[in-house]
Amino acid sequence: MEQVDCVQEGVSTERAFEADPIPSLLETITPRSIVVSFILGVALCAVAMKISLSSGFLPSLTVPAGLIGFYLIRAWFRALDCFELPYQPFTRQENTVIQTCVVACSAITFSGGFGTYILAMGKNAAGGDTRDEKNIIEPSIGRLIAFLFLVSFSGLFILMPFRKVMIIRHRLTFPSGMATAHLINSFHTPQGVNKARQQVKMLFSSFGGSVLWNIFQWFFTAAKDCGFKVFPIFGLEAYKHGFYFDFSMSNIGIGMLCPYIITVSMFIGCVISWGIISPYLATKAGIWYPSNISSSSLNGIRGYKVFIGVSMILADGLFNFLSIVLCTLYSMCQRRKQPMQGDNEVDSDTQLPFHCLNAAEQQKTKKSFGDRRRAQVFLRDHISNSVNIICYILLSVVSTIAIPYLYPQMKHIHVALIYLVAPVIAFCDAYAFGVTDMNLSSTYGKLAMVLVGSSVGRNDGGVIAGLVSCGIVMGAMSNSNNLMQDLKTGYLTLTSPHVVFISQAIGTAFGCIINPIMFWIFYKVQNGDADIFDAPYARVYRSIAMLSAGQNALPMHSLWLCKLFFALALVLSMFRELATWKQWRVAQYIPSTICVAIAIVVPARIPIDMFVGSLVLYLWRWANPSKAPAFSMAVASGMVCGDGLGMLLSSTMALTQVRAPLCIKFLSRTDNVKLDAFLATLPMT
């Protein structure tokens, strides 16, 4: 679609649905939508959990949720047609319900901190050191479910009183919510049905291939370090330094979903980390740190790299936070000058990509038919602000009482203070999210971690207290952001705010139960013989908590290295922002600071896999420029989903003590000669 057609397409959107009545609550939230949402929620939670634990990245799952949800309902209709049974038509409002439920369920994987602050509390993130008992708490499924219910549902009520201000008055974009609404609206036109059918076919083809590939690999993993995941494709010497390709379909799919600059930046960070920093630090063994220390200890090479990565992440986060705050304040001042709902209001019926919006906002057109109809539906259902405020206060009181019992290191006063300032922070965060599509809940969580951890102190469990405070902020902020984004989607698909809120609550309840169960399956397998995830972000969060609580056993010269890389990251972020602002051509080639920082922390195989995914997409676009843009996202989503399901099947077999029959392992020529000599000494049978 060309940019010049964006406005024209938006003008006719609601005219196309003018004859369709607005369905009631019971016609929108139906048993079939709940069943489909639960099935998709389970599948996508498994996918999201695997990605979160393995790489720390969690790409948007709205596209696979929308495609598969739409296709499952259509398949349901075909089955009913075979038995000549009647059924209620499938509307875009019901499609929005499924989308909202599934995304709310899978989003708990991120806000629940399963790959971040939850694992950061355990002994593995602490490098196996169990002496500091006050700062180590192993995950418990009962504690996780209770904690998630407390912090997640409070986030649903924080910003509900501001929904009209954000959606109607300030007309915030929420780019992902707008894109989702465009996707749903397009599905329910004749052309959209045909395109969706082709995309779903491609998605399920790549999904099936990814599952079969995962099952095939499992047959060769009878012991540790067996199978294709440890294939030394660049040679055994490179493999010893962490450079190898592990055939992970999910990471390849993520690479296809991410922009080129993201994957290239991570590959650059990977080369810096494993090609420069690691070899240099290896020469300091026995000087800066003990030479016989475990490779997983934070007092060795891993500790240096984690703290370097953390310093760069904090520098980039601080710069972006200040930039977004300034941009948000400027945007609020500009929007306050616009009339609330007058004749010169911008046409909100234009379902534009984010890059089209600025040009469209400059056009002063009269209120369209779609504007009037959407505002009417959005304002028709009155949700009392007093009820929302009372519910938030009750949940805050319950959380203030209950959370310190779940985590004794956390004080009641700290929980109360967090819930007291949460509405102000949530409004700022959601406003920035609506303007930039950047979720800063984890940034606010790190800030809470530093403040609470430093006030409690390491001797009184400040590490755990900081991580718990991070979880409270992330759970509340992330859910409030998601709700505002879903309300924007509902606004553009004529779905009532009542329906969106109830769907979000149902999806959140599903997520608070499904995600801990999924996490527990992976966690139990990881604690056994299998090695299925690395959880690099858990060490990052643990390091931040240790620094804030006061850590006296940092590696030698680590603070000096942190200051150096903090300054370098800040300079890189400022230069990148300046080049973008000045519209220099070199701006598109400047690496992303946070991606370089993440690559320093994560294993080298992850950036390599993602780089391969981007290379595959580039070659596909070059070979077939017509089909690649339309189907690449569906293929990549199928690869990610299939690998997540395949990993869940492998984990289930490991839990049931089912072992693979074969082991494939790659040895050097010297080791192979030794193995042949050993086998020659064995008696012939």
Short mmCIF file of all heavy atoms in Angstrom, two decimals, residues 529-559:
data_model
loop_
_atom_site.label_atom_id
_atom_site.label_comp_id
_atom_site.label_asym_id
_atom_site.label_seq_id
_atom_site.Cartn_x
_atom_site.Cartn_y
_atom_site.Cartn_z
N ASP A 529 18.51 -32.53 34.09
CA ASP A 529 19.69 -32.73 33.24
C ASP A 529 19.69 -31.83 32.02
O ASP A 529 20.74 -31.62 31.40
CB ASP A 529 19.76 -34.20 32.78
CG ASP A 529 19.97 -35.14 33.96
OD1 ASP A 529 20.57 -34.69 34.96
OD2 ASP A 529 19.53 -36.30 33.88
N ALA A 530 18.52 -31.33 31.64
CA ALA A 530 18.43 -30.56 30.40
C ALA A 530 18.95 -29.14 30.58
O ALA A 530 18.94 -28.59 31.67
CB ALA A 530 16.98 -30.54 29.91
N ASP A 531 19.37 -28.57 29.48
CA ASP A 531 19.84 -27.17 29.47
C ASP A 531 19.11 -26.47 28.33
O ASP A 531 19.56 -26.44 27.20
CB ASP A 531 21.34 -27.13 29.25
CG ASP A 531 21.87 -25.70 29.35
OD1 ASP A 531 21.14 -24.83 29.84
OD2 ASP A 531 23.01 -25.46 28.90
N ILE A 532 17.93 -25.91 28.63
CA ILE A 532 17.05 -25.41 27.57
C ILE A 532 16.97 -23.89 27.54
O ILE A 532 16.44 -23.34 26.59
CB ILE A 532 15.63 -25.99 27.71
CG1 ILE A 532 15.01 -25.59 29.04
CG2 ILE A 532 15.65 -27.49 27.54
CD1 ILE A 532 13.56 -25.99 29.17
N PHE A 533 17.46 -23.19 28.54
CA PHE A 533 17.45 -21.74 28.47
C PHE A 533 18.60 -21.17 29.28
O PHE A 533 19.13 -21.81 30.19
CB PHE A 533 16.10 -21.16 28.93
CG PHE A 533 15.76 -21.40 30.37
CD1 PHE A 533 16.28 -20.58 31.38
CD2 PHE A 533 14.90 -22.42 30.74
CE1 PHE A 533 15.95 -20.79 32.71
CE2 PHE A 533 14.56 -22.63 32.07
CZ PHE A 533 15.09 -21.81 33.06
N ASP A 534 18.96 -19.93 28.92
CA ASP A 534 20.11 -19.28 29.55
C ASP A 534 19.68 -18.13 30.46
O ASP A 534 20.38 -17.79 31.40
CB ASP A 534 21.06 -18.76 28.47
CG ASP A 534 22.37 -18.27 29.05
OD1 ASP A 534 23.14 -19.11 29.56
OD2 ASP A 534 22.60 -17.06 29.02
N ALA A 535 18.53 -17.50 30.16
CA ALA A 535 17.98 -16.39 30.95
C ALA A 535 19.02 -15.30 31.21
O ALA A 535 19.34 -14.99 32.35
CB ALA A 535 17.41 -16.91 32.26
N PRO A 536 19.56 -14.67 30.15
CA PRO A 536 20.60 -13.66 30.36
C PRO A 536 20.10 -12.43 31.11
O PRO A 536 20.85 -11.81 31.85
CB PRO A 536 21.03 -13.31 28.93
CG PRO A 536 19.86 -13.68 28.07
CD PRO A 536 19.24 -14.87 28.73
N TYR A 537 18.85 -12.06 30.91
CA TYR A 537 18.33 -10.87 31.56
C TYR A 537 18.20 -11.04 33.06
O TYR A 537 18.21 -10.06 33.81
CB TYR A 537 16.97 -10.49 30.96
CG TYR A 537 17.05 -9.34 29.99
CD1 TYR A 537 16.88 -9.54 28.62
CD2 TYR A 537 17.29 -8.06 30.44
CE1 TYR A 537 16.95 -8.49 27.73
CE2 TYR A 537 17.37 -6.99 29.56
CZ TYR A 537 17.19 -7.20 28.21
OH TYR A 537 17.27 -6.16 27.34
N ALA A 538 18.07 -12.28 33.54
CA ALA A 538 17.99 -12.51 34.99
C ALA A 538 19.28 -12.04 35.66
O ALA A 538 19.24 -11.43 36.74
CB ALA A 538 17.74 -13.99 35.28
N ARG A 539 20.42 -12.31 35.04
CA ARG A 539 21.70 -11.86 35.61
C ARG A 539 21.81 -10.34 35.56
O ARG A 539 22.40 -9.72 36.45
CB ARG A 539 22.85 -12.52 34.86
CG ARG A 539 22.94 -14.02 35.05
CD ARG A 539 24.25 -14.56 34.51
NE ARG A 539 24.35 -14.39 33.07
CZ ARG A 539 23.88 -15.25 32.19
NH1 ARG A 539 23.26 -16.34 32.60
NH2 ARG A 539 24.01 -15.04 30.89
N VAL A 540 21.24 -9.73 34.50
CA VAL A 540 21.27 -8.26 34.41
C VAL A 540 20.49 -7.65 35.57
O VAL A 540 20.96 -6.74 36.26
CB VAL A 540 20.70 -7.80 33.06
CG1 VAL A 540 20.51 -6.29 33.04
CG2 VAL A 540 21.61 -8.23 31.91
N TYR A 541 19.28 -8.14 35.79
CA TYR A 541 18.44 -7.61 36.87
C TYR A 541 19.07 -7.89 38.24
O TYR A 541 19.00 -7.04 39.14
CB TYR A 541 17.03 -8.21 36.80
CG TYR A 541 16.12 -7.48 35.84
CD1 TYR A 541 16.37 -7.47 34.47
CD2 TYR A 541 15.01 -6.79 36.29
CE1 TYR A 541 15.54 -6.81 33.59
CE2 TYR A 541 14.16 -6.12 35.42
CZ TYR A 541 14.43 -6.13 34.07
OH TYR A 541 13.62 -5.46 33.20
N ARG A 542 19.66 -9.04 38.40
CA ARG A 542 20.33 -9.37 39.66
C ARG A 542 21.49 -8.39 39.90
O ARG A 542 21.70 -7.93 41.03
CB ARG A 542 20.85 -10.81 39.62
CG ARG A 542 21.63 -11.24 40.86
CD ARG A 542 20.75 -11.86 41.87
NE ARG A 542 21.43 -12.13 43.13
CZ ARG A 542 20.82 -12.64 44.19
NH1 ARG A 542 19.53 -12.91 44.14
NH2 ARG A 542 21.47 -12.85 45.31
N SER A 543 22.22 -8.07 38.85
CA SER A 543 23.36 -7.17 38.99
C SER A 543 22.91 -5.77 39.38
O SER A 543 23.54 -5.12 40.24
CB SER A 543 24.15 -7.12 37.67
OG SER A 543 24.60 -8.41 37.31
N ILE A 544 21.83 -5.28 38.77
CA ILE A 544 21.31 -3.96 39.13
C ILE A 544 20.87 -3.95 40.58
O ILE A 544 21.14 -3.00 41.33
CB ILE A 544 20.16 -3.57 38.19
CG1 ILE A 544 20.64 -3.46 36.75
CG2 ILE A 544 19.53 -2.24 38.64
CD1 ILE A 544 19.54 -3.23 35.74
N ALA A 545 20.18 -5.02 41.01
CA ALA A 545 19.71 -5.10 42.39
C ALA A 545 20.89 -5.16 43.37
O ALA A 545 20.85 -4.55 44.44
CB ALA A 545 18.82 -6.33 42.57
N MET A 546 21.93 -5.87 43.00
CA MET A 546 23.11 -5.96 43.86
C MET A 546 23.80 -4.61 44.00
O MET A 546 24.22 -4.21 45.09
CB MET A 546 24.09 -7.00 43.30
CG MET A 546 23.61 -8.44 43.44
SD MET A 546 24.54 -9.59 42.40
CE MET A 546 26.20 -9.34 42.99
N LEU A 547 23.90 -3.89 42.89
CA LEU A 547 24.54 -2.57 42.93
C LEU A 547 23.72 -1.59 43.77
O LEU A 547 24.27 -0.80 44.54
CB LEU A 547 24.70 -2.02 41.51
CG LEU A 547 25.75 -2.69 40.63
CD1 LEU A 547 25.67 -2.18 39.20
CD2 LEU A 547 27.15 -2.47 41.19
N SER A 548 22.39 -1.64 43.63
CA SER A 548 21.54 -0.71 44.38
C SER A 548 21.53 -1.04 45.87
O SER A 548 21.46 -0.14 46.72
CB SER A 548 20.11 -0.75 43.83
OG SER A 548 19.54 -2.04 43.98
N ALA A 549 21.60 -2.35 46.20
CA ALA A 549 21.56 -2.75 47.61
C ALA A 549 22.93 -2.61 48.28
O ALA A 549 23.03 -2.72 49.50
CB ALA A 549 21.06 -4.19 47.73
N GLY A 550 23.97 -2.44 47.47
CA GLY A 550 25.32 -2.30 48.05
C GLY A 550 26.07 -3.60 47.99
O GLY A 550 25.99 -4.42 48.89
N GLN A 551 26.79 -3.82 46.90
CA GLN A 551 27.54 -5.06 46.71
C GLN A 551 29.02 -4.79 46.93
O GLN A 551 29.61 -3.94 46.26
CB GLN A 551 27.29 -5.62 45.30
CG GLN A 551 28.19 -6.75 44.90
CD GLN A 551 27.96 -8.02 45.70
OE1 GLN A 551 28.06 -8.01 46.91
NE2 GLN A 551 27.66 -9.10 45.03
N ASN A 552 29.63 -5.49 47.87
CA ASN A 552 31.02 -5.24 48.22
C ASN A 552 32.01 -6.17 47.52
O ASN A 552 33.21 -6.03 47.69
CB ASN A 552 31.20 -5.39 49.74
CG ASN A 552 30.35 -4.41 50.52
OD1 ASN A 552 30.21 -3.26 50.12
ND2 ASN A 552 29.78 -4.87 51.63
N ALA A 553 31.49 -7.14 46.76
CA ALA A 553 32.38 -8.14 46.16
C ALA A 553 32.38 -8.06 44.64
O ALA A 553 32.35 -9.06 43.96
CB ALA A 553 31.94 -9.55 46.61
N LEU A 554 32.38 -6.83 44.11
CA LEU A 554 32.44 -6.66 42.67
C LEU A 554 33.82 -7.05 42.17
O LEU A 554 34.82 -6.90 42.87
CB LEU A 554 32.16 -5.20 42.30
CG LEU A 554 30.74 -4.69 42.58
CD1 LEU A 554 30.65 -3.22 42.23
CD2 LEU A 554 29.71 -5.48 41.81
N PRO A 555 33.90 -7.57 40.92
CA PRO A 555 35.21 -7.93 40.37
C PRO A 555 36.13 -6.71 40.30
O PRO A 555 35.68 -5.57 40.14
CB PRO A 555 34.85 -8.44 38.96
CG PRO A 555 33.41 -8.84 39.04
CD PRO A 555 32.79 -7.92 40.02
N MET A 556 37.42 -6.97 40.39
CA MET A 556 38.41 -5.89 40.36
C MET A 556 38.32 -5.11 39.05
O MET A 556 38.19 -5.70 37.98
CB MET A 556 39.82 -6.50 40.53
CG MET A 556 40.94 -5.46 40.62
SD MET A 556 42.58 -6.24 40.73
CE MET A 556 42.40 -7.16 42.26
N HIS A 557 38.37 -3.79 39.15
CA HIS A 557 38.33 -2.86 38.02
C HIS A 557 36.99 -2.88 37.27
O HIS A 557 36.89 -2.26 36.19
CB HIS A 557 39.46 -3.16 37.01
CG HIS A 557 40.83 -3.08 37.60
ND1 HIS A 557 41.32 -1.93 38.21
CD2 HIS A 557 41.82 -4.01 37.70
CE1 HIS A 557 42.55 -2.15 38.64
NE2 HIS A 557 42.88 -3.40 38.35
N SER A 558 35.97 -3.57 37.80
CA SER A 558 34.69 -3.62 37.09
C SER A 558 34.00 -2.26 37.08
O SER A 558 33.38 -1.88 36.08
CB SER A 558 33.76 -4.67 37.73
OG SER A 558 33.51 -4.36 39.08
N LEU A 559 34.09 -1.51 38.17
CA LEU A 559 33.47 -0.18 38.20
C LEU A 559 34.13 0.76 37.19
O LEU A 559 33.45 1.59 36.57
CB LEU A 559 33.56 0.41 39.62
CG LEU A 559 32.60 -0.19 40.66
CD1 LEU A 559 32.82 0.48 42.01
CD2 LEU A 559 31.15 -0.03 40.21
#
